[in-house]
Amino acid sequence: MAGNGVFAEILDGEVFKYYADGEWKKSSSGKSVAIINPTTRKTQYKVQACSQEEVNKVMDSAKSAQKLWAKTPLWKRAELLHKAAAILKEHKAPIAESLVKEIAKPAKDAVTEVVRSGDLVSYCAEEGVRILGEGKFLVSDSFPGNERTKYCLTSKIPLGVILAIPPFNYPVNLAVSKIAPALIAGNSIVLKPPTQGAVSALHMVHCFHLAGFPKGLINCVTGKGSEIGDFLTMHPGVNCISFTGGDTGIAISKKAGMIPLQMELGGKDACIVLEDADLDLVAGNIIKGGFSYSGQRCTAVKVVLVMESVADALVEKVKAKVAKLSVGAPENDCDITPVVSESSANFIEGLVMDAKEKGATFCQEYKREGNLIWPLLLDNVRPDMRIAWEEPFGPVLPLIRINSIEEGIHHCNASNFGLQVHKQTTSFNIAFLSIIWIIFFINSR
């Protein structure tokens, strides 16, 4: 169970501690933040509500620890990361349990996330040793007018203190994807986990603690975004911010100042289906891409753009597969589980009602119980509907009928999002050239 066994140290009564300077601590604020179980809609866990003063102390210790860590040999950094990865995978069960209860992730997928996270930590350790173990030798005569009279050796050096802010949907995997590269490169970490997913992240951090990383190198602060969110992102002790999420990233970029930012802010990921596509294969890909983890993935299929001539056949095949999806509690390993919060469910419902008012065809009856929304395919969606452009982050998938590949590409390029797109066709040339055009358009904005 969460907070038991080797993880007992991270729990104080019914409130999980935060991690700073190599120790698990209670906040001097005396306050806590409740984590609501999406399935029961009742408080499942509580975490510390850290104060700004505690954030200051964390930043100081992270800065001091980073200076020593930067002098640590690469092989030693990699050794500790491999150890953390092994501990993470060894204790996958209680972490997966937290994922089930905090974010309603299906039980099997929760275990997969933890194991995959351990593998990613090891991968970063291996690649980091190779990439960072190399330098470059530069000569001066590459610049017009210069002679080969000067030489330069270059190598990569750490940035300093990295503020890592992962999203709720993969609070372990998308945390280690920030932590592991930062650590192997010689940086220190201040992790601010999402509220939904904080306990899973705290368990993951404890695995790094058990691996024996130096004090102050890895820190994890929890609390209300309204109290420490801006304080963290605008803190002068932060040298780089890695953020995964939504529109909040735009606000962060405006406030962070002149420091490097690494961000992924969601997408309206399109699946373009051409006339020559294998529709059985396409239908299976749409189900997996659009409805796994109830569509709560940045890279989920969020709009299907299908040629009119094959649209009817595709809709029937997708409908048949939607009917087979199991709906219910994550503990039962259902395909469709509750979305993360009531506000998320309300937002999704707003998109559905807008589409209904404007004439979209409902391929299934819209059904919702609390945060649980049954899978829904919307046919005959038009560009004047919100769901044609907005990211639902739920088990609702719009389908837009198109008359040419150019029309599909135009829709993709008209979107404010630019994360990914995939095309279903048996023609490699058409797929390759059209994807290149989309990438070119996005990069030339």
Side-chain angles (χ1 to χ4, degrees):
M1 291 180 64
N4 286 336
V6 297
F7 297 107
E9 185 181 352
I10 76 175
L11 183 61
D12 178 60
E14 61 175 15
V15 183
F16 285 86
K17 301 175 187 176
Y18 75 100
Y19 186 68
D21 203 22
E23 298 178 2
W24 290 99
K25 301 181 178 183
K26 295 188 293 182
S27 173
S28 59
S29 71
K31 300 177 182 178
S32 64
V33 179
I35 298 175
I36 307 301
N37 184 317
T39 305
T40 65
R41 292 189 290 167
K42 296 179 181 179
T43 298
Q44 183 69 49
Y45 302 122
K46 294 180 182 178
V47 294
Q48 304 291 326
C50 294
S51 66
Q52 293 184 359
E53 180 58 33
E54 285 162 336
V55 169
N56 283 332
K57 291 179 180 178
V58 163
M59 291 297 176
D60 289 341
S61 63
K63 183 177 180 180
S64 298
Q66 188 275 324
K67 292 179 180 179
L68 295 174
W69 181 246
K71 299 176 183 178
T72 303
L74 269 173
W75 67 265
K76 183 63 176 179
R77 298 180 204 167
E79 185 179 80
L80 287 171
L81 283 168
H82 282 303
K83 188 175 180 180
I87 295 171
L88 188 62
K89 290 193 282 188
E90 179 185 356
H91 298 291
K92 59 183 179 291
I95 304 175
E97 177 194 307
S98 299
L99 289 168
V100 169
K101 293 182 178 179
E102 284 189 289
I103 61 171
K105 181 157 287 188
K108 184 179 179 180
D109 293 342
V111 173
T112 299
E113 177 175 346
V114 181
V115 174
R116 176 185 171 201
S117 297
D119 291 340
L120 180 56
V121 172
S122 290
Y123 174 81
C124 290
E126 289 297 313
E127 287 302 303
V129 168
R130 280 188 278 272
I131 294 170
L132 298 168
E134 296 180 349
K136 287 186 177 181
F137 180 74
L138 306 177
V139 294
S140 58
D141 61 344
S142 61
F143 191 84
N146 279 9
E147 300 294 330
R148 186 166 294 200
T149 56
K150 300 175 183 177
Y151 303 96
C152 177
L153 288 172
T154 67
S155 63
K156 297 179 175 66
I157 62 172
L159 289 167
V161 178
I162 311 300
L163 174 60
I165 309 175
F168 80 83
N169 54 345
Y170 290 90
V172 176
N173 187 253
L174 289 180
V176 302
S177 70
K178 304 174 188 302
I179 294 170
L183 291 177
I184 193 64
N187 301 286
S188 62
I189 282 285
V190 175
L191 176 69
K192 170 58 178 75
T195 298
Q196 301 291 142
V199 171
S200 306
L202 290 169
H203 281 72
M204 174 271 296
V205 168
H206 193 58
C207 294
F208 282 82
H209 170 78
L210 294 173
F213 281 87
K215 290 184 177 181
L217 188 67
I218 304 168
N219 308 272
C220 185
V221 294
T222 55
K224 298 179 180 178
S226 59
E227 294 181 7
I228 63 171
D230 285 351
F231 191 74
L232 278 165
T233 56
M234 299 172 69
H235 200 285
V238 173
N239 301 113
C240 173
I241 299 175
S242 177
F243 173 86
T244 304
D247 291 343
T248 301
I250 298 173
I252 290 174
S253 68
K254 293 177 180 178
K255 298 174 182 176
M258 296 293 289
I259 62 171
L261 304 174
Q262 182 272 319
M263 295 189 172
E264 189 269 282
L265 307 181
K268 187 67 176 177
D269 314 286
C271 172
I272 302 177
V273 184
L274 302 185
E275 292 168 314
D276 63 343
D278 180 339
L279 296 186
D280 289 313
L281 177 64
V282 171
N285 288 340
I286 287 173
I287 292 296
K288 183 178 179 180
F291 294 104
S292 60
Y293 188 38
S294 301
Q296 296 176 111
R297 297 181 298 111
C298 297
T299 55
V301 173
K302 301 195 182 79
V303 60
V304 177
L305 302 164
V306 57
M307 294 292 284
E308 179 69 56
S309 59
V310 295
D312 287 342
L314 179 63
V315 167
E316 289 305 312
K317 291 179 183 294
V318 174
K319 282 171 62 177
K321 291 184 179 295
V322 168
K324 295 179 181 179
L325 293 173
S326 58
V327 182
E331 289 85 353
N332 297 332
D333 222 17
C334 292
D335 298 313
I336 305 297
T337 57
V339 295
V340 71
S341 66
E342 184 177 356
S343 61
S344 293
N346 290 341
F347 174 77
I348 296 165
E349 185 167 292
L351 295 179
V352 171
M353 292 301 105
D354 175 77
K356 183 177 182 179
E357 292 172 5
K358 294 175 181 175
T361 301
F362 280 52
C363 296
Q364 297 82 23
E365 178 187 1
Y366 174 68
K367 186 178 179 181
R368 172 187 173 186
E369 291 180 4
N371 295 343
L372 184 60
I373 296 176
W374 270 248
L376 177 63
L377 178 68
L378 295 175
D379 191 8
N380 295 303
V381 169
R382 300 192 312 272
D384 64 325
M385 299 176 187
R386 289 174 56 201
I387 201 164
W389 306 104
E390 298 182 39
E391 184 179 27
F393 232 63
V396 178
L397 185 61
L399 185 143
I400 298 175
R401 297 173 179 236
I402 57 175
N403 293 303
S404 67
I405 186 173
E406 290 79 12
E407 184 181 349
I409 292 174
H410 174 76
H411 183 91
C412 293
N413 287 339
S415 172
N416 289 328
F417 295 97
L419 187 56
Q420 73 168 19
V421 63
H422 77 276
K423 189 174 303 303
Q424 300 284 343
T425 176
T426 56
S427 170
F428 175 80
N429 288 338
I430 292 176
F432 183 74
L433 291 174
S434 56
I435 294 298
I436 289 297
W437 173 243
I438 292 170
I439 292 172
F440 171 78
F441 185 89
I442 291 170
N443 290 334
S444 63
R445 286 184 177 182

